[in-house]
Amino acid sequence: EIVLTQSPATLSLSPGERASLSCRASQPVSGYLAWYQQKPGQAPRLLIFDASKRATGIPARFSGSGSRTDFALTISSVEPEDFAVYYCQQRALWPITFGQGTRLEIK
Amino acid sequence: QVLLVESGGGVAQPGGSLRLSCVPSGFSFRNYGMHWVRQAPGKGLEWLAFIRFDGSKEFYADSVKDRLNISRDNSKNTLYLQMNWLQSEDTAVYYCARDGGTGAFDFWGQGTLVTVSS
């Protein structure tokens, strides 16, 4: 199966700073990568699909990039409501797999 | 609006069985593939199973394929997850999620908690 490795495990930032989250795949996934945000006690929310396409209603400060094995989620200027856990997910090959998550915390 | 509501969770004994249900609204269920995903307490997301829109094909995670069965009844507008031979490691919140057609999960339910304990 394809293993997704996210880094860093925890990212400590202040509101207004730029956040860069990484997701590396153990083999190429083409552009079939998605990103999700999860807040405590809530279900995950789709942010980005197909590596760089924003889901409906997602603010423009969220952007995705990358291809093959290296992907990134960028938050251009972190808002207070963005502090959460972020997961990447691939659907290039069965089984579908998720990364272990990156926690974005307030510095 | 799109809603997914899971039910059927609860406490089960090791070796027991449970059947989870997911009832969608706000979209044409029969046109979408559906997934089950779980999250153990304090842990990350684990994909479990997928079923095509018409029920013609299923895919499973290797770790659960011998114990779980995903199914759907489009006439009843319901998705199911049959879980057998439950183990303590199956304790988790179980989510159903819609496949948006891109392999990404565009809508999620709020989850149902399954606790396996004697």
Side-chain angles (χ1 to χ4, degrees):
Chain A
E1 71 178 41
I2 295 177
V3 176
L4 299 178
T5 302
Q6 293 186 239
S7 62
T10 302
L11 184 58
S12 300
L13 294 173
S14 300
E17 291 191 292
R18 182 183 184 89
S20 295
L21 287 66
S22 172
C23 177
R24 177 162 290 178
S26 60
Q27 54 186 286
V29 298
S30 185
Y32 300 132
L33 192 105
W35 291 92
Y36 301 85
Q37 176 193 68
Q38 188 179 32
K39 297 179 181 179
Q42 296 185 16
R45 176 175 72 145
L46 177 64
L47 299 175
I48 301 288
F49 65 95
D50 288 352
S52 61
K53 299 174 182 175
R54 267 191 305 277
T56 302
I58 301 304
R61 65 180 181 273
F62 291 93
S63 63
S65 62
S67 63
R68 290 182 57 80
T69 60
D70 290 288
F71 298 87
L73 174 70
T74 301
I75 310 173
S76 58
S77 177
V78 175
E79 296 285 339
E81 62 267 27
D82 298 338
F83 292 98
V85 179
Y86 293 83
Y87 295 94
C88 58
Q89 170 247 326
Q90 67 80 24
R91 62 108 173 173
L93 286 177
W94 299 101
I96 288 173
T97 50
F98 286 92
Q100 82 280 16
T102 289
R103 180 179 305 277
L104 177 60
E105 65 175 26
I106 301 175
K107 187 173 182 180
Chain B
Q1 76 279 27
V2 172
L3 280 177
L4 299 168
V5 179
E6 302 96 337
S7 62
V11 179
Q13 293 206 334
S17 298
L18 276 179
R19 188 175 80 160
L20 308 183
S21 299
C22 170
V23 176
S25 60
F27 68 101
S28 183
F29 175 64
R30 63 180 65 246
N31 290 338
Y32 288 85
M34 297 293 295
H35 300 266
W36 286 99
V37 177
R38 72 182 176 186
Q39 187 169 37
K43 303 297 185 182
L45 301 171
E46 180 185 16
W47 173 80
L48 296 176
F50 168 78
I51 188 166
R52 284 185 178 166
F53 69 100
D54 58 357
S56 62
K57 185 76 173 176
E58 304 150 27
F59 295 89
Y60 295 92
D62 289 343
S63 61
V64 298
K65 64 182 178 181
D66 295 331
R67 299 189 298 114
L68 269 57
N69 179 257
I70 187 172
S71 62
R72 65 191 296 159
D73 187 336
N74 286 346
S75 68
K76 294 183 178 179
N77 218 47
T78 305
L79 174 74
Y80 302 101
L81 183 68
Q82 177 68 42
M83 303 191 297
N84 301 317
W85 295 105
L86 286 164
Q87 305 163 8
S88 58
E89 308 88 84
D90 296 318
T91 293
V93 174
Y94 287 72
Y95 296 101
C96 64
R98 191 180 84 168
D99 190 303
T102 65
F105 311 144
D106 62 351
F107 288 96
W108 297 64
Q110 280 306 298
T112 187
L113 176 62
V114 172
T115 303
V116 182
S117 173
S118 56

